[in-house]
Structure formats: structure tokens, C-alpha cells
Amino acid sequence: MSEAHPASTGLLASITSPGDLKRLTGEQLTLLAAEIRDFLVAKVSRTGGHLGPNLGVVETTLALHRVFESPRDSLLFDTGHQAYVHKIVTGRQDGFDLLRQRGGLSGYPSRAESEHDYIENSHASTALSYADGMSKAYALRGEERHVVAVVGDGALTGGMCWEALNNIAAAKNRLVIVVNDNGRSYAPTIGGLADHLSTLRLNPGYERVLDLVKDALGSTPVVGKPVYEVLHAVKKGIKDAVSPQPMFEDLGIKYIGPVDGHDIVAMESALRRAKGFNAPVIVHAVTRKGYGYRPAELDEADRLHGPGSAFDVETGKLLAKPSVKWTHVFAEELVRIADERLDIVGITAAMAEPTGIAALARKYPARAYDVGIAEQHAATSAAGLAMGGLHPVVAVYATFLNRAFDQVLLDVAMHRLPVTFVLDRAGITGPDGPSHYGIWDMSVFGVVPGLRIAAPRDAATLREELREAVAVDDGPTIVRFPTGSVAPETPAVRRFGQVDVLREGDRKDVLLVAVGSFAGIGLEVADRLAEQGYGVTVVDPRWVRPVAIELIGLAGQHRMVVTLEDGIRAGGVGDAVASALRDSAIDVPLRDFGVPTGFHPHGTRAEILTALGLTAQDIARDVTEWVSRLEDAAEPQRAL
């Protein structure tokens, strides 16, 4: 935070709606921007959240709200994690004390929070498609309203953006696209367009140099003007070479820029020109992620993109004690496997550090590929790598693989290609909310023929199951694990086929199938049931798809089967086990615990699981009731 602009000026407190911004002078806007940065650092340092992206869009957001009339004009943020400043100036300052906490302010745009939020688009590269449709709707309805989409240069690596641009250009409706070009998504943005924009950012002085030459030559009466004209032509050639203008205007979209995204006056001028054009316009704003907060600007990894918990304001360092994370275990083991096997390569979709692929890239840079925000391409490119004799490991967040279902199904699985998908942040992940919950994968991908899904319960099983996955050479595999710290080691009593038996009772009342990180809850449930006199066998299936034949055999030995999974119940592991029991003509009652279908609000993982009844206490109570009913139903039969 800057001591030159303390928050004591009180400007921020006077901003309760976007209209309040329009009465401020240029000097006041500069002070307000500094206050907003202080506010963001102070609040996010207590709750965690997306800091770097929002520090980078302060002036751009202020300019947007001074030029356009939200909510009549639709402001769309892609991705939504750069909308904190938008929330601040639309009357939600008080909510930041509970940012990303249950019952508090969402970390993304939220239609339930404000009429100024149109889309809850926390997945990248979607806003331009929304904008295309909205601008067409306004045109058909005869409404003179603007649609403004703020899109990061990282999002432009996603194919949906280019599909949308093609249609936006053809429709020629009133639409403004602000490209927030900071050269980064999480890490530095990659790809051909990114290189093009990077070249432009590395040449910020050519306009300045030309002006200096013009001034110098202007005092030379004979040769000055002709030489200036030559230089002007040279300058135009340079600009055409480094500017995206020809590329976008060839599509039929007007281009304005590049503009300093931290200069409110320049941004306002550019936006007003774009607004008056009444047709598609791209405003190219060059910004710096983490701008104005030294710890963020010095953070090479991701400019303090999204500290997940509280941090020290002075240093930017997390306050929580470091612990072993699931991602770290995966990254270490992947590098070890790559040491042993030259065919192992890694793929990430713009998230090398968050998914662990960065560790492989540091040791074997030629064997790690960042494809940008393009999960569909990642899957099919992996298919091509596999066809070429390699074994790709595609590491993405569980929620993002949903975008590539068709590619996994038809491009990978139908060709029986050995591709391993490693899904980080699987299950209920907490504060980032429903768009980031990795609860769909076991249901969605469970229908893919030949696909095997593993769910490790601790560090040891993650290493083991990752190795088993990359050993598969006749089809795709998925290895999924949650976010945060690794669960305590949970050794097996014995292994039965591929199934780990974690606990065995004297009686065989309940077979409790605990999936992945729910192994700990399963053992707690078994302890509670044992206190009621019931015998529980707790197993970790390790590989949940296909259902192991050994698991079916164990089910036939028990009076009841109970499944626990950190995923959607519909089509999940419970359904798969029930189907396998039916196919094997084993008539054992089954009860499944999992996440009910729906978009569940943000909060901590523990809060959400409690709200869903997925705690050891809740599960044990229900299972006790079900087993007692079985006993009651059997009593008259015994009397005979």
C-alpha cells in the first residue's frame, strides 16, 4: 500500500453507486484509486481472495463506470475474479468484511447480490459469447443499450473468444470489448497472440521517440518536413508490425489502443470514442497485474493472483503455517516418474503453478506444455501426443475438465489412448463457490467407456495411484484429489484385489465404501456405529470406475452397503456400485451419501459439508437408523 495516498481522505466512503464517480475531479480520482488499492489489500489480507487481478483493473473499472451507465449498460467481467473494484463502486463495500465467507460477499459476480452483475462467469473465455447474445437481444428489442465485456489477454487464449469475435464482427451491434492486457492469466500468458501483445508492450517508447524526432527536425526548415514524413511512414510500419489493429480490423472490429489502463483520463477518452461508434470496438488497455502493491508486483509466480487465506500486509506472505499440499505431492511424484520414463509429458491450461506442472517444466522444459485457457484443445492435443507414442499427463482443476467432455469421450477414449487427467481441487472446494466445486467429474466422466477413475485418500495412495494410472496403455485414466493440505496417512489393514480394507468389525452389518478424501469420515462413522454395537467394514475402492469385482464380493457378505463420496450423487459412485450389484444379482440394500445436485453457495469446505449433512455425526445417525430398521424387519421372520 502507498503511504502517499492514505485512506483518510474519505473519498471511498462517499462512493455508494457508480453515479458518484462522475462528480469527481481528476485529482480526486487518483486519490480514490489509491484508497481502493489500500482497501483491497486490507480486506483480502484477512479473508483471502483474488488480489493481483483487481489491483490491476482499478483505473480501468473507474473509467468504465464513468463512461457507461450500469446497470442499463451491461458490464461483463471475464473472468469474474477481476470484479472486486466493480463491486466496491456498486455499493458493496461493507460486504468485503465477509468476502468469500458463508453468507457473505461472493468472490465473483453474483446476480443475487446486485443488479449490476449480469453473469456469474468465473470460467474464462465466456463473456464475449454472452456479450454477443445480449447485444443481439438489445438490437432486436430496439433498446439503445451498450454491452461492455472486460476480457483478459489470458482469456483470449480460449477458443470461445474467437468463435464469439467471429459472430460479433458479423452482427455489427453496439458492443465494446475491453482487452485487459497484463501479459498474464495466473502465470505469464502464452501463445501466438500473447507473443504479439508482448512485442507491443516491449515497445512502449516508439511514439515518444517519434515525437522527439519530430520536434528536433521541425526546427530544420529545409529537410525537416520531408524527413519527418519518412519517419512517419517508418513509424506506421512499426505500429502495423506490433499492433493487433490489423488482426482485429480484418475481422471487422474497430480497434482503439494501446491505452495505458492505469491512466483514467486516457481510458475514459478511449471508452467514450468506443461508445460513440455504435458498432463492435476493441479497446486495448495495457495494465500491470498487482499494480500499486509492492509485494504483488515483486511476486514473479502470479503477482499474488489469489492468496487463499489471510496474509501479512507488509510482506504478502501467508500467515498460515505451511503444510504439505495435495498438489505438491502430485508434482513431486510426476517429476520422479518423468525421471524414469522419457515418454511422460505434462500439459496445463494456463495454470502451471496451481496444478503442479510447473515442477515438471522447471526440470524438463521441453516436456511440459501450457496451452493457455483451452481445456478442449488440451485434451485433443494430449490425444495427439499419445498417438505419437508419449504418455501425456493433463493437469487441470476438476471443474475445468467439464469443458472438455466431448474431447475426452471421442478424441481420447474412443481411440483408447493412454492419457492421464489429473484433477486438482476435486470435490467441495469452499470459498470460490459453485462454479469452482469439482463435484461433477465422477458423474460426468463415469459414463465414458474404458475410462478408469482413481481417488487417492492420502499422499501415499496419490503417489501409488498416479503410477498405476500412467502404467495404463489402453485407455484414459483420471486421478482426482481435493484442495488444501493432504489428509493424514491412513494405512490399510489389508488389500483385497485392488480394494483397500481400512477397518474390519467382528460382525458384517455394514460395508462402508469411502471414496478418496472421505476415508477419514468413513472411519469416524465406523467408530460411532461400533459404539451402537454394529460391525462395519470400511473400504477404500481406490479405483472407483470401473467398480471392482472384489467390492461386489464384499458387498454380498454384508447386510447393507453405504457409499460416501465428495461428488454429485446422481450418476456418482453410489449409483455405479448399485448398478454393479444389480448386474451381479446381489440383493443388498444400498444407501449413498454425496453432494445433492445443485449450485451450492460458497463457504468453507467444513461449513458446506455440514450444511449438506456430510459429517460423521450426520452419516452415523442415518446409518444407525437404517440398520435398526433392517433388524426390526427381520424380527417377525426370526419368530417363525
Side-chain angles (χ1 to χ4, degrees):
M1 292 183 290
S2 170
E3 294 182 2
H5 304 296
S8 59
T9 57
L11 280 171
L12 182 55
S14 70
I15 305 300
T16 59
S17 70
D20 295 331
L21 297 173
K22 299 186 178 182
R23 59 178 170 75
L24 300 183
T25 66
E27 183 179 354
Q28 287 175 319
L29 286 168
T30 300
L31 290 171
L32 177 62
E35 288 186 28
I36 288 174
R37 286 194 170 88
D38 287 349
F39 178 89
L40 285 170
V41 173
K43 298 301 183 183
V44 178
S45 70
R46 299 189 186 105
T47 64
H50 288 93
L51 182 61
N54 289 288
L55 293 172
V57 296
V58 175
E59 291 85 0
T60 296
T61 306
L62 295 179
L64 282 165
H65 277 290
R66 280 171 59 86
V67 172
F68 296 96
E69 304 289 338
S70 179
R72 177 171 176 77
D73 293 328
S74 308
L75 269 59
L76 316 178
F77 289 86
D78 185 340
T79 62
H81 64 228
Q82 61 181 325
Y84 288 13
V85 185
H86 166 74
K87 291 187 179 226
I88 289 171
V89 300
T90 53
R92 286 172 273 179
Q93 294 178 33
D94 292 345
F96 276 82
D97 287 329
L98 292 177
L99 176 67
R100 301 168 73 244
Q101 297 178 30
R102 190 164 183 81
L105 204 64
S106 167
Y108 294 93
S110 169
R111 291 164 66 91
E113 283 180 11
S114 172
E115 63 179 346
H116 296 277
D117 292 1
Y118 279 86
I119 53 174
E120 304 186 14
N121 63 319
S122 43
H123 285 196
S125 310
T126 58
L128 294 188
S129 297
Y130 281 115
D132 174 52
M134 292 176 76
S135 63
K136 287 173 178 172
Y138 294 158
L140 282 173
R141 291 166 58 89
E143 298 180 14
E144 294 188 359
R145 302 168 65 180
H146 279 85
V147 180
V148 184
V150 182
V151 183
D153 61 300
L156 285 178
T157 63
M160 277 186 71
C161 278
W162 296 94
E163 295 168 21
L165 283 170
N166 186 49
N167 283 271
I168 287 167
K172 302 187 184 305
N173 291 314
R174 188 182 283 119
L175 197 162
V176 177
I177 301 166
V178 178
V179 176
N180 174 29
D181 174 16
N182 59 23
R184 307 177 74 89
S185 45
Y186 278 74
T189 307
I190 60 88
L193 175 65
D195 290 343
H196 202 51
L197 298 180
S198 178
T199 302
L200 181 61
R201 284 192 298 276
L202 292 173
N203 289 275
Y206 72 85
E207 295 272 9
R208 234 176 12 256
V209 170
L210 185 72
D211 289 340
L212 291 172
V213 173
K214 177 184 177 181
D215 292 341
L217 294 178
S219 61
T220 309
V222 178
V223 299
K225 187 174 181 182
V227 173
Y228 171 71
E229 294 297 334
V230 172
L231 288 175
H232 185 76
V234 172
K235 171 237 181 178
K236 186 176 186 299
I238 293 172
K239 189 165 185 176
D240 285 345
V242 300
S243 169
Q245 179 174 356
M247 174 173 58
F248 290 119
E249 292 196 348
D250 284 349
L251 282 171
I253 302 176
K254 184 70 175 175
Y255 172 90
I256 299 175
V259 185
D260 181 353
H262 300 301
D263 184 332
I264 296 178
V265 174
M267 279 302 303
E268 275 196 54
S269 174
L271 291 170
R272 290 191 191 282
R273 280 186 287 150
K275 182 179 182 180
F277 191 61
N278 289 324
V281 182
I282 285 178
V283 177
H284 179 186
V286 179
T287 64
R288 286 163 57 192
K289 189 174 182 178
Y291 183 74
Y293 179 46
R294 186 170 177 79
E297 294 200 49
L298 293 178
D299 178 26
E300 280 300 319
D302 64 5
R303 299 290 191 266
L304 289 185
H305 175 88
S309 59
F311 61 88
D312 180 81
V313 170
E314 296 300 321
T315 65
K317 303 296 184 184
L318 295 179
L319 297 177
K321 294 180 180 179
S323 59
V324 178
K325 307 294 186 185
W326 288 95
T327 309
H328 180 69
V329 174
F330 157 68
E332 278 192 339
E333 194 62 23
L334 179 63
V335 171
R336 290 193 188 101
I337 296 170
D339 290 340
E340 302 163 12
R341 287 180 50 176
L342 296 178
D343 64 328
I344 295 294
V345 294
I347 300 179
T348 182
M351 302 179 75
E353 288 287 352
T355 62
I357 289 294
L360 179 68
R362 281 189 285 270
K363 188 164 187 180
Y364 299 110
R367 294 164 61 185
Y369 308 99
D370 187 339
V371 300
I373 301 175
E375 290 83 4
Q376 292 172 295
H377 167 62
T380 305
S381 178
L385 286 164
M387 286 178 175
L390 302 177
H391 191 112
V393 177
V394 183
V396 296
Y397 284 6
T399 182
F400 296 142
L401 192 63
N402 296 343
R403 310 177 85 174
F405 173 77
D406 184 68
Q407 286 70 29
V408 174
L409 175 68
L410 299 179
D411 300 344
V412 180
M414 191 170 72
H415 294 84
R416 298 179 178 85
L417 294 170
V419 177
T420 295
F421 297 92
V422 174
L423 306 189
D424 205 319
R425 274 69 165 177
I428 292 289
T429 53
D432 280 337
S435 65
H436 276 57
Y437 295 156
I439 55 179
W440 311 98
D441 56 293
M442 291 189 291
S443 295
V444 170
F445 292 96
V447 301
V448 175
L451 175 67
R452 303 160 174 88
I453 302 177
R457 65 181 181 271
D458 55 20
T461 55
L462 170 52
R463 294 188 182 97
E464 182 181 38
E465 288 162 34
L466 177 62
R467 285 182 173 273
E468 292 174 5
V470 298
V472 173
D473 61 6
D474 61 351
T477 52
I478 284 178
V479 179
R480 71 184 307 269
F481 50 80
T483 188
S485 301
V486 179
E489 185 173 349
T490 307
V493 175
R494 63 185 176 94
R495 178 164 292 176
F496 180 44
Q498 71 175 31
V499 177
D500 276 353
V501 179
L502 307 182
R503 176 80 54 84
E504 290 184 286
D506 295 333
R507 296 172 48 177
K508 295 187 180 297
D509 294 309
V510 178
L511 175 67
L512 199 157
V513 182
V515 173
S517 61
F518 268 23
I521 294 179
L523 291 172
E524 289 184 53
V525 171
D527 290 338
R528 292 174 180 268
L529 289 173
E531 292 173 0
Q532 304 298 319
Y534 296 118
V536 181
T537 302
V538 182
V539 298
D540 168 13
R542 300 177 65 255
W543 289 85
V544 298
R545 295 292 180 98
V547 176
I549 188 65
E550 296 87 0
L551 189 62
I552 304 306
L554 287 169
Q557 302 171 20
H558 291 75
R559 300 173 62 194
M560 170 179 283
V561 177
V562 174
T563 62
L564 309 180
E565 60 188 298
D566 192 6
I568 291 291
R569 286 176 58 202
V573 176
D575 276 359
V577 174
S579 177
L581 290 175
R582 289 193 300 270
D583 290 346
S584 299
I586 295 178
D587 189 17
V588 177
L590 181 144
R591 300 289 185 271
D592 57 336
F593 289 91
V595 180
T597 301
F599 298 107
H600 305 288
H602 65 274
T604 67
R605 176 177 165 86
E607 288 171 338
I608 297 163
L609 293 180
T610 298
L612 297 177
L614 295 176
T615 67
Q617 180 177 352
D618 292 329
I619 294 167
R621 181 181 60 246
D622 289 346
V623 174
T624 299
E625 182 179 338
W626 292 334
V627 178
S628 66
R629 286 180 186 171
L630 286 177
E631 290 185 328
D632 291 344
E635 280 300 324
Q637 195 172 9
R638 289 197 192 111
L640 294 175

Coordinates of all heavy atoms in Angstrom, one line a residue, residues 324-356:
V324 N 1.9 -29.7 3.8 CA 2.1 -30.5 2.6 C 0.7 -30.5 1.9 O -0.3 -30.9 2.4 CB 2.5 -31.9 2.9 CG1 2.6 -32.7 1.6 CG2 3.8 -31.9 3.6
K325 N 0.7 -30.0 0.6 CA -0.5 -29.9 -0.2 C -0.5 -31.0 -1.2 O 0.5 -31.6 -1.6 CB -0.5 -28.6 -1.0 CG -0.2 -27.3 -0.1 CD -1.4 -27.1 0.8 CE -1.2 -25.7 1.5 NZ -2.2 -25.5 2.6
W326 N -1.8 -31.4 -1.5 CA -2.0 -32.4 -2.5 C -1.3 -32.1 -3.8 O -0.6 -33.0 -4.4 CB -3.5 -32.6 -2.8 CG -4.3 -33.2 -1.7 CD1 -5.0 -32.5 -0.7 CD2 -4.6 -34.5 -1.5 NE1 -5.7 -33.4 0.1 CE2 -5.4 -34.6 -0.3 CE3 -4.2 -35.7 -2.1 CZ2 -5.9 -35.8 0.2 CZ3 -4.6 -36.9 -1.6 CH2 -5.5 -37.0 -0.5
T327 N -1.3 -30.9 -4.3 CA -0.7 -30.5 -5.5 C 0.8 -30.7 -5.4 O 1.4 -31.2 -6.4 CB -1.0 -29.0 -5.8 OG1 -2.4 -28.8 -5.7 CG2 -0.5 -28.6 -7.2
H328 N 1.4 -30.4 -4.3 CA 2.9 -30.6 -4.2 C 3.2 -32.1 -4.2 O 4.2 -32.4 -4.9 CB 3.3 -30.0 -2.8 CG 4.8 -30.1 -2.6 ND1 5.7 -29.4 -3.3 CD2 5.5 -30.9 -1.7 CE1 6.9 -29.7 -2.8 NE2 6.8 -30.6 -1.9
V329 N 2.4 -32.9 -3.6 CA 2.7 -34.4 -3.7 C 2.7 -34.9 -5.1 O 3.5 -35.6 -5.6 CB 1.7 -35.2 -2.8 CG1 1.9 -36.7 -2.9 CG2 1.9 -34.8 -1.3
F330 N 1.6 -34.5 -5.8 CA 1.5 -34.9 -7.2 C 2.7 -34.4 -8.0 O 3.3 -35.1 -8.8 CB 0.2 -34.3 -7.8 CG 0.2 -34.2 -9.3 CD1 0.3 -35.3 -10.1 CD2 0.3 -32.9 -9.9 CE1 0.3 -35.1 -11.5 CE2 0.3 -32.7 -11.3 CZ 0.4 -33.9 -12.1
A331 N 3.0 -33.1 -7.9 CA 4.1 -32.5 -8.7 C 5.4 -33.3 -8.4 O 6.2 -33.6 -9.4 CB 4.3 -31.0 -8.3
E332 N 5.7 -33.6 -7.2 CA 7.0 -34.3 -6.9 C 7.0 -35.7 -7.5 O 8.0 -36.1 -8.1 CB 7.1 -34.5 -5.3 CG 7.7 -33.3 -4.6 CD 8.1 -33.6 -3.2 OE1 7.5 -34.6 -2.7 OE2 8.9 -32.9 -2.6
E333 N 5.9 -36.4 -7.4 CA 5.8 -37.7 -7.9 C 5.9 -37.7 -9.5 O 6.5 -38.6 -10.1 CB 4.6 -38.5 -7.5 CG 4.6 -40.0 -7.7 CD 5.7 -40.7 -6.9 OE1 6.2 -40.1 -5.9 OE2 6.1 -41.8 -7.3
L334 N 5.2 -36.7 -10.1 CA 5.3 -36.7 -11.5 C 6.7 -36.5 -12.0 O 7.1 -37.1 -13.0 CB 4.4 -35.5 -12.0 CG 4.4 -35.3 -13.6 CD1 3.8 -36.5 -14.3 CD2 3.6 -34.0 -13.9
V335 N 7.5 -35.7 -11.4 CA 8.9 -35.4 -11.7 C 9.7 -36.7 -11.6 O 10.5 -37.1 -12.4 CB 9.5 -34.3 -10.9 CG1 11.0 -34.2 -11.2 CG2 8.8 -33.0 -11.3
R336 N 9.4 -37.5 -10.5 CA 10.1 -38.8 -10.3 C 9.8 -39.7 -11.4 O 10.6 -40.4 -11.9 CB 9.7 -39.4 -8.9 CG 10.2 -38.6 -7.7 CD 10.0 -39.5 -6.5 NE 10.4 -38.7 -5.3 CZ 9.5 -38.2 -4.4 NH1 8.2 -38.3 -4.7 NH2 9.9 -37.5 -3.4
I337 N 8.5 -39.8 -11.8 CA 8.1 -40.7 -12.9 C 8.8 -40.3 -14.2 O 9.2 -41.1 -15.0 CB 6.6 -40.7 -13.0 CG1 5.9 -41.3 -11.7 CG2 6.1 -41.6 -14.2 CD1 4.4 -41.2 -11.7
A338 N 8.8 -38.9 -14.4 CA 9.4 -38.4 -15.6 C 10.9 -38.7 -15.7 O 11.5 -38.9 -16.7 CB 9.2 -36.9 -15.7
D339 N 11.6 -38.8 -14.5 CA 13.0 -39.2 -14.4 C 13.1 -40.6 -14.9 O 14.2 -40.9 -15.6 CB 13.5 -39.1 -13.0 CG 13.6 -37.7 -12.5 OD1 13.7 -36.8 -13.3 OD2 13.6 -37.5 -11.2
E340 N 12.2 -41.4 -14.7 CA 12.2 -42.9 -15.0 C 11.7 -43.1 -16.5 O 12.2 -44.1 -17.1 CB 11.4 -43.7 -14.0 CG 11.8 -43.5 -12.6 CD 10.8 -44.0 -11.6 OE1 9.8 -44.7 -12.1 OE2 10.9 -43.7 -10.4
R341 N 10.8 -42.3 -16.9 CA 10.2 -42.6 -18.2 C 10.3 -41.4 -19.2 O 9.7 -40.3 -18.9 CB 8.7 -43.0 -18.0 CG 8.5 -44.3 -17.4 CD 7.0 -44.7 -17.2 NE 6.2 -44.4 -18.4 CZ 4.9 -44.7 -18.5 NH1 4.3 -45.2 -17.4 NH2 4.2 -44.4 -19.6
L342 N 10.9 -41.5 -20.3 CA 11.1 -40.4 -21.2 C 9.8 -40.1 -22.0 O 9.8 -39.0 -22.6 CB 12.2 -40.8 -22.2 CG 13.6 -41.0 -21.6 CD1 14.6 -41.3 -22.7 CD2 14.1 -39.7 -20.9
D343 N 8.8 -41.0 -21.9 CA 7.6 -40.7 -22.7 C 6.6 -39.9 -21.9 O 5.6 -39.5 -22.4 CB 6.9 -42.0 -23.1 CG 6.5 -42.9 -21.9 OD1 7.1 -42.8 -20.8 OD2 5.5 -43.6 -22.0
I344 N 6.9 -39.6 -20.6 CA 6.0 -38.8 -19.8 C 6.1 -37.3 -20.2 O 7.2 -36.7 -20.1 CB 6.3 -39.0 -18.3 CG1 6.0 -40.4 -17.9 CG2 5.4 -38.0 -17.5 CD1 4.5 -40.8 -18.0
V345 N 5.0 -36.7 -20.5 CA 4.9 -35.2 -20.8 C 3.8 -34.6 -20.0 O 2.8 -35.3 -19.6 CB 4.8 -34.9 -22.3 CG1 6.0 -35.3 -23.0 CG2 3.5 -35.5 -22.9
G346 N 3.8 -33.3 -19.7 CA 2.8 -32.7 -18.9 C 2.1 -31.6 -19.8 O 2.7 -30.9 -20.6
I347 N 0.8 -31.4 -19.5 CA 0.0 -30.4 -20.2 C -0.8 -29.6 -19.1 O -1.3 -30.2 -18.2 CB -1.0 -30.9 -21.2 CG1 -0.2 -31.7 -22.3 CG2 -1.8 -29.8 -21.8 CD1 -1.1 -32.3 -23.3
T348 N -0.8 -28.3 -19.2 CA -1.6 -27.5 -18.3 C -2.3 -26.4 -19.2 O -1.9 -26.1 -20.3 CB -0.8 -26.8 -17.2 OG1 -1.7 -26.1 -16.4 CG2 0.2 -25.9 -17.8
A349 N -3.5 -25.9 -18.6 CA -4.2 -24.9 -19.3 C -4.1 -23.6 -18.6 O -5.0 -23.2 -17.8 CB -5.7 -25.3 -19.4
A350 N -2.9 -23.0 -18.7 CA -2.7 -21.6 -18.2 C -2.5 -21.7 -16.7 O -2.6 -20.6 -16.0 CB -3.7 -20.6 -18.6
M351 N -2.3 -22.8 -16.1 CA -2.2 -22.9 -14.6 C -1.1 -23.9 -14.2 O -1.3 -24.8 -13.4 CB -3.6 -23.4 -14.0 CG -4.7 -22.5 -14.4 SD -6.3 -23.1 -13.8 CE -6.1 -22.6 -12.1
A352 N 0.1 -23.6 -14.7 CA 1.2 -24.4 -14.4 C 1.6 -24.5 -12.9 O 1.8 -25.6 -12.4 CB 2.5 -24.0 -15.2
E353 N 1.6 -23.4 -12.2 CA 1.9 -23.4 -10.8 C 0.8 -24.0 -10.0 O 1.0 -24.9 -9.2 CB 2.3 -22.0 -10.3 CG 3.6 -21.5 -10.7 CD 4.8 -22.2 -10.0 OE1 4.6 -23.0 -9.1 OE2 5.9 -22.0 -10.5
P354 N -0.5 -23.5 -10.2 CA -1.6 -24.1 -9.3 C -1.8 -25.6 -9.5 O -2.3 -26.2 -8.6 CB -2.8 -23.3 -9.8 CG -2.2 -22.0 -10.4 CD -0.9 -22.4 -11.0
T355 N -1.5 -26.2 -10.6 CA -1.7 -27.6 -10.8 C -0.5 -28.4 -10.6 O -0.6 -29.7 -10.7 CB -2.3 -27.9 -12.2 OG1 -1.3 -27.5 -13.2 CG2 -3.6 -27.1 -12.5
G356 N 0.7 -27.8 -10.5 CA 1.9 -28.6 -10.2 C 2.7 -28.9 -11.4 O 3.9 -29.4 -11.3

